[in-house]
Structures are given as structure tokens and as C-alpha cells.
Amino acid sequence: MTTVLRAHAEDQYAEELAVLAKDDDRARPPGWKLSPWAVTTYILGDGDRITPKYIGPRRIVEVAVATLATDRALLLLGVPGTAKTWLSEHLAAAVSGDSTLLVQGTAGTAEEAIRYGWNYARLLAEGPSRDALTPSPVMRAMAEGRIARVEELTRMPSDVQDALITVLSEKTLPIPELNEEVQAARGFNVIATANDRDRGVNDLSSALRRRFNTVVLPVPATAEEEVDIVSRRVEQLGRSLELPETLTGLEEIRRVVTVFRELRTGVTEDGRTKVKSPSGTLSTAEAISVITNGIALAAHFGDGVLRPSDVAAGIAGAVVQDPVSDRVVWREYLETVVRERQDWRDFYRACRDAG
């Protein structure tokens, strides 16, 4: 038994990657572990031995994979919770066999995270040298011909973002202190993720945006598709967390998904009633979190069956991000929509009690 809470994609799905590599007789771009066709099969599944990692339009995945086979970098753009990070990890795992060359973008990310830093003890003792240099994940990916991942690109300050321009256009990273440079080996590319809905984002410069091919990841098109995504991920998380076996009814998952979709779009499923939307995004990822938390409650403190009372507190916490305005939105939704649904009476009572 492994003690790792969450294995990297290339480790967790090593058997599937090996199966695809063994049967893959199609042309592979230089430095790739699999052909573009096999990478797409790994992401979307084949209905048999390969499980789907991403549920969505096939063309979106094909465009993303085709982009990585060119000299243009890939930007996965979408609202929070549309599986940008999840997809970037699996793409890197399938293409390079390594998803760990990661730069996490924040407001405090320094330029060294994109370029390189220094081991200052060695720098002071020996002066500038290759041994004193600390390569960034991007520099390592260039030298090894792998995929580098940059998460939340728009969270970084603009001057740090622009450190990628030379890397993406010239495929070269200058080291002026040593009068040297690192040139990208075949197979190198960059997958970045970003969203333009959240607070605290920095717009990309036109020079940097031109060096990316942008693929927009949509929210699930239908409720059934979103229920399927939530069900699959909850099952995977339950296994990885070793939660006690729980009878997870689709009814509760469908209710959570329905609530999130209606509050997200501002209208009920039947289109008859308009509702106010809260300040949060209410993404699929948050629905997964609510259900997983409910399963833990049912398994450890209930009778092993997921019930409305197990998800009520979690769903209220996800909706009410702003304690003033969101609380009004949630109460109004409960009284005007949930209360009127005859088969939702137990859910309504649980949410009222949790509130």
C-alpha cells in the first residue's frame, strides 16, 4: 500500500499508459512517449481498458494535443472548476511521461520560477557557475525535451509572465551571467492554465498571448454530463482516500448538480423561474467536493447511505461565500424553488436545518 495521498497521473495510470505505448504504431512527434492519437485516447478513454480522464467535446482535446505537436504553446482557458489543471496534468503525463515540471502562479511568483535561481552559498564561495545555478521547471523541461506546466498564469505579475516570451518564441533561455544559453530539446512545450473570471488576475500582454494557442474549456453542456463527471470523480476520490464504502445515490448528486447549475445560470431547469446568482462560481469541482464531504459524513457519522442531511451543510457553505449578499440569495432560492418541489421536501428541510 502506498502512503502517497495523491499519486501523479503518470504513476496512477501507469498501466494504461503502458498498454497504449505497446499498441501504439502511429507516428510520434520527436520526444513524445505516445502518438497524438494515443494521447487523445488516454484522455478520453476507449470504453474498454482506458478510462476517461476528461469528459467533454473530443474536438477540444484533439486541438489541444495537435497544438502541443507544433511549436506553439497551449493555453487552457476557462472559468474555475472546468478541469484545466486536471487536463494539463494528464496531457503532460501522456506526452512526456512526467507531469511534475510545474510552476504555480501566484501574486508572489518571482521571475526565477520561470528562468532560474542561484544556490547563494555556492555562488558566494565559487562565483557564477553551472553548479551554482538552480534551474526552474521550465529550464529543466527545455533541457530534457519535456512538457512544462504553468498553473494560473494570470495570477503572476505581468513582468514575470513576460519572462516566457523568449522561451516560447526563440525556444532559448539566455543565462547572461555565464554567457551561455539553454536551447530547448525536441519534445519541449508549455501548457499554461488561466481564468479571467476570478479576482486578482493580470491580463496577458498581446506579445505573450500571441505565442499561445488558446483552447477554452466549457462548463458541462448538460446536467447529465455534469452528473457523470461528478460521479466518476467522487468514486475515484473515495478509493484514493480509502473512505468506507457508502451507498452513493445518484439522486443526491443530481440534486447538488441541479442546484449549482440553476444558481450558476440564474434560471431553473424548466426555464420558468429566474433566480439570483451568488458571488461564487459554483463549479463542477465544488460539486465534487460537496459530495465527497457528504460521503465522509455518511460513512463515519451516519448509516452509510448518502442523505440530504449529509450534503446540506456543504452545499450551503459552497453557495454562501459572501455572508451578507449570498445568504439572501440562498434563502430566496430555498423558499421560491426548492420548497416548491414535492420530491425535494427532505432536501429542503435539511438545508433549512443546516442554515
Side-chain angles (χ1 to χ4, degrees):
M1 295 292 291
T2 179
T3 58
V4 176
L5 182 60
R6 183 186 181 279
H8 297 301
E10 59 271 22
D11 299 324
Q12 186 175 356
Y13 296 96
E15 291 185 8
E16 293 186 14
L17 290 168
V19 167
L20 284 168
K22 180 180 178 182
D23 299 338
D24 187 14
D25 58 358
R26 304 195 181 208
R28 304 181 187 184
W32 283 40
K33 301 293 185 181
L34 299 172
S35 67
W37 177 86
V39 172
T40 303
T41 302
Y42 168 76
I43 298 295
L44 296 174
D46 64 355
D48 184 17
R49 296 177 295 176
I50 310 302
T51 59
K53 318 303 179 302
Y54 174 77
I55 299 174
R58 181 180 184 86
R59 197 59 176 172
I60 284 180
V61 178
E62 291 176 343
V63 170
V65 174
T67 296
L68 295 175
T70 70
D71 64 344
R72 288 176 66 82
L74 172 64
L75 176 61
L76 299 176
L77 187 67
V79 298
T82 48
K84 300 184 296 296
T85 298
W86 180 254
L87 182 57
S88 75
E89 178 185 359
H90 284 284
L91 284 170
V95 171
S96 297
D98 185 357
S99 64
T100 64
L101 298 173
L102 171 67
V103 176
Q104 179 61 57
T106 68
T109 300
E111 192 173 328
E112 287 80 2
I114 300 293
R115 300 176 70 241
Y116 53 85
W118 296 97
N119 180 329
Y120 287 103
R122 299 196 68 165
L123 183 65
L124 292 172
E126 305 169 8
S129 68
R130 273 297 185 121
D131 291 335
L133 185 144
T134 304
S136 70
V138 175
M139 177 183 276
R140 288 178 54 203
M142 294 178 71
E144 299 170 11
R146 298 181 182 272
I147 299 291
R149 298 167 54 212
V150 181
E151 291 296 315
E152 300 290 355
L153 179 60
T154 50
R155 291 282 185 189
M156 297 180 182
S158 298
D159 56 332
V160 178
Q161 294 175 9
D162 287 343
L164 281 169
I165 291 178
T166 302
V167 170
L168 298 182
S169 60
E170 305 296 330
K171 301 298 186 287
T172 296
L173 182 56
I175 310 175
E177 296 90 341
L178 303 179
N179 197 26
E180 295 180 15
E181 64 180 13
V182 174
Q183 291 185 300
R186 287 179 176 271
F188 166 73
N189 213 326
V190 173
I191 304 174
T193 67
N195 77 78
D196 51 8
R197 291 279 191 93
D198 232 342
R199 299 174 182 174
V201 299
N202 301 295
D203 291 336
L204 302 181
S205 66
S206 58
L208 181 57
R209 188 177 283 273
R210 284 197 305 270
R211 282 146 176 93
F212 282 101
N213 188 31
T214 302
V215 173
V216 179
L217 299 186
V219 296
T222 65
E224 289 304 317
E225 185 177 300
E226 191 162 0
V227 167
D228 186 25
I229 294 171
V230 173
S231 300
R232 290 174 184 271
R233 285 293 294 133
V234 165
E235 183 181 356
Q236 293 171 348
L237 285 171
R239 287 198 305 266
S240 66
L241 296 173
E242 297 186 25
L243 291 175
E245 190 170 341
T246 304
L247 184 58
T248 307
L250 279 178
E251 183 180 4
E252 298 309 324
I253 295 178
R254 188 170 283 109
R255 281 174 174 170
V256 172
V257 167
T258 299
V259 170
F260 276 32
R261 291 180 70 86
E262 290 181 338
L263 288 173
R264 199 162 59 210
T265 59
V267 64
T268 55
E269 274 189 325
D270 56 14
R272 296 180 180 178
T273 307
K274 290 186 177 181
V275 298
K276 296 177 182 178
S277 296
S279 60
T281 56
L282 299 182
S283 66
T284 307
E286 289 166 296
I288 293 168
S289 177
V290 168
I291 296 296
T292 304
N293 185 70
I295 289 174
L297 285 171
H300 294 298
F301 304 105
D303 59 0
V305 179
L306 186 65
R307 301 188 184 280
S309 57
D310 298 318
V311 300
I315 199 170
V319 173
V320 182
Q321 299 292 317
D322 185 311
V324 178
S325 61
D326 290 347
R327 191 175 299 279
V328 174
V329 170
W330 178 233
R331 286 178 178 172
E332 184 176 308
Y333 177 78
L334 284 178
E335 298 301 327
T336 60
V337 177
V338 177
R339 185 180 182 181
E340 300 304 315
R341 291 173 174 162
Q342 295 298 322
D343 55 342
W344 282 37
R345 287 298 177 88
D346 53 347
F347 181 75
Y348 169 76
R349 288 192 295 270
C351 290
R352 283 298 303 266
D353 292 344

